[in-house]
Amino acid sequence: MNHVAVPGADGNLNKQLIDTLIRSRLFRDYESVFTKATGLPLTLQPLDYWQLAHHGKKNENAFCAMLAENRATLAVCLQAHEQMIQHTNELPHTVTCPFGLTETAIPLKLGDKTIGYLRIGQVMRRSPQRADTEKVKRTLAEYGFRFTNDVRKAWEHNPLIPQDRYGAIVRLLTFFAKQLSALINQIVLEKQNAEPLFVQKAREYIAKNKTESLSLADVAKASGASVFHFCKVFKKSTGLKFTDYVARMRLEDARTELLNPNRRISEIAYDVGFQSLTQFNRMFKRIFGQSPTQFRAHLTTGKRASKAA
């Protein structure tokens, strides 16, 4: 396989590539057949994804859907998701959440870089015993979630897939992930061959100088194009205006920095290249749907919940 270079703004690019695959006939046909054959939801998600993978899908586990409606139990689920993704490298990785349900992530590759995951799960791999039910009941109580009759009913109807069959499903999806990886590598290679050289130069220049003050005129000059021609072709090639592209690159770096609780938000904003904290907060919320403070608080809540479990 050709190793395809991933341009700047990796987070935004990853999402665009995954969206392309989700819209592809290959994925849509496979997802339909897979769900009919197994009864399980199949999700394709980008590398940076801060939501529950199957929430809102047609075949979502009813018990998991209930947990997603409670802030404390949702944090536990998100923490389990985060730990699984952190340990998914070249091979699929499977975890069992504190509520006894199994989830698996299978990596998709662009060249030698992971850009996303196929996700399955919300299943039990063995029949639950009375002790399992009591443990789940106690765990839910720790987070203020009552084990009502409806919750018990949903818990008792969790999908059961024996371990050997579940392993076979994961292997099958591993083959499919390779097909999807081959498809997206082909798409990106064709796009790069069609992309003007000056756009590639501009991406490289922006990536190298993203923390500095970047003007449209400077980047256009570095790429060897006029400002007018640059604006027209750059947006067509990247799907973003110049200012939005630069902001997105900086925000991706900022989101990583926000994982460090010892760093002030204002410090991060200026370090990644923003000249105004107000602008940083506004752009962050526009791109990610929540403020930097909310993003950090959400992660902190998840970590506390995981430790309590």
Side-chain angles (χ1 to χ4, degrees):
M1 179 192 302
N2 291 321
H3 287 266
V4 183
V6 182
D10 283 357
N12 186 49
L13 177 64
N14 289 343
K15 186 178 185 304
Q16 291 178 4
L17 295 177
I18 294 301
D19 286 344
T20 298
L21 287 176
I22 290 173
R23 294 192 300 267
S24 71
R25 176 61 64 88
L26 176 63
F27 178 77
R28 287 187 286 114
D29 288 349
Y30 192 96
E31 180 188 26
S32 176
V33 172
F34 177 86
T35 300
K36 287 179 181 178
T38 65
L40 299 177
L42 175 64
T43 301
L44 178 57
Q45 65 177 71
L47 188 63
D48 296 318
Y49 189 80
W50 304 91
Q51 303 173 29
L52 293 184
H54 310 300
H55 191 45
K57 293 183 76 73
K58 182 179 178 181
N59 288 58
E60 180 184 12
N61 182 313
F63 178 70
C64 294
M66 290 179 175
L67 298 184
E69 298 302 321
N70 178 276
R71 182 175 179 180
T73 51
L74 171 62
V76 177
C77 297
L78 288 173
Q79 185 66 20
H81 152 80
E82 182 182 350
Q83 291 174 350
M84 175 173 60
I85 295 305
Q86 288 176 351
H87 291 89
T88 304
N89 297 312
E90 298 296 323
L91 300 175
H93 187 72
T94 298
V95 298
T96 299
C97 76
F99 306 110
L101 297 170
T102 292
E103 291 266 359
T104 300
I106 300 107
L108 266 71
K109 311 289 285 188
L110 177 62
D112 58 358
K113 293 191 66 173
T114 298
I115 62 167
Y117 308 93
L118 284 172
R119 290 283 305 277
I120 60 164
Q122 299 186 335
V123 304
M124 304 196 74
R125 288 185 288 175
R126 63 174 178 81
S127 298
Q129 304 299 315
R130 182 175 180 180
D132 298 317
T133 302
E134 291 301 317
K135 180 181 178 182
V136 167
K137 184 177 179 180
R138 289 194 305 271
T139 303
L140 288 173
E142 291 176 6
Y143 300 102
F145 196 97
R146 294 179 59 237
F147 199 65
T148 64
N149 288 335
D150 287 341
V151 175
R152 178 185 292 276
K153 183 178 179 181
W155 161 256
E156 292 175 348
H157 286 82
N158 276 320
L160 173 63
I161 298 182
Q163 189 164 342
D164 56 346
R165 184 179 168 220
Y166 187 81
I169 291 174
V170 171
R171 288 195 296 275
L172 184 65
L173 286 175
T174 301
F175 296 140
F176 181 49
K178 291 181 179 179
Q179 286 183 281
L180 289 174
S181 296
L183 174 60
I184 203 60
N185 274 270
Q186 178 183 349
I187 290 172
V188 170
L189 192 60
E190 291 174 353
K191 181 179 178 181
Q192 286 185 344
N193 289 338
E195 185 176 77
L197 179 60
F198 79 82
V199 174
Q200 295 180 33
K201 288 183 177 179
R203 287 181 185 269
E204 293 170 0
Y205 184 84
I206 293 169
K208 184 177 179 180
N209 300 280
K210 58 188 174 182
T211 60
E212 306 299 327
S213 177
L214 283 172
S215 71
L216 173 59
D218 288 342
V219 177
K221 181 179 179 181
S223 70
S226 70
V227 172
F228 175 79
H229 187 57
F230 177 86
C231 289
K232 182 178 179 181
V233 179
F234 186 83
K235 183 178 180 181
K236 183 178 180 181
S237 296
T238 65
L240 295 170
K241 293 189 298 183
F242 167 74
T243 53
D244 289 343
Y245 184 90
V246 174
R248 185 66 192 241
M249 288 197 69
R250 291 168 172 167
L251 288 171
E252 292 291 348
D253 290 345
R255 188 162 66 167
T256 299
E257 292 296 324
L258 285 168
L259 297 177
N260 181 353
N262 297 319
R263 299 209 63 197
R264 295 194 304 273
I265 291 177
S266 58
E267 179 184 8
I268 292 172
Y270 293 119
D271 281 354
V272 299
F274 284 88
Q275 301 302 310
S276 161
L277 181 59
T278 300
Q279 181 194 29
F280 172 72
N281 288 330
R282 183 173 64 249
M283 291 295 294
F284 194 99
K285 187 168 185 178
R286 193 181 105 189
I287 297 296
F288 299 123
Q290 57 186 338
S291 70
T293 302
Q294 291 170 328
F295 174 80
R296 174 173 275 177
H298 186 73
L299 290 177
T300 303
T301 302
K303 290 178 180 178
R304 286 202 305 265
S306 177
K307 291 179 180 178

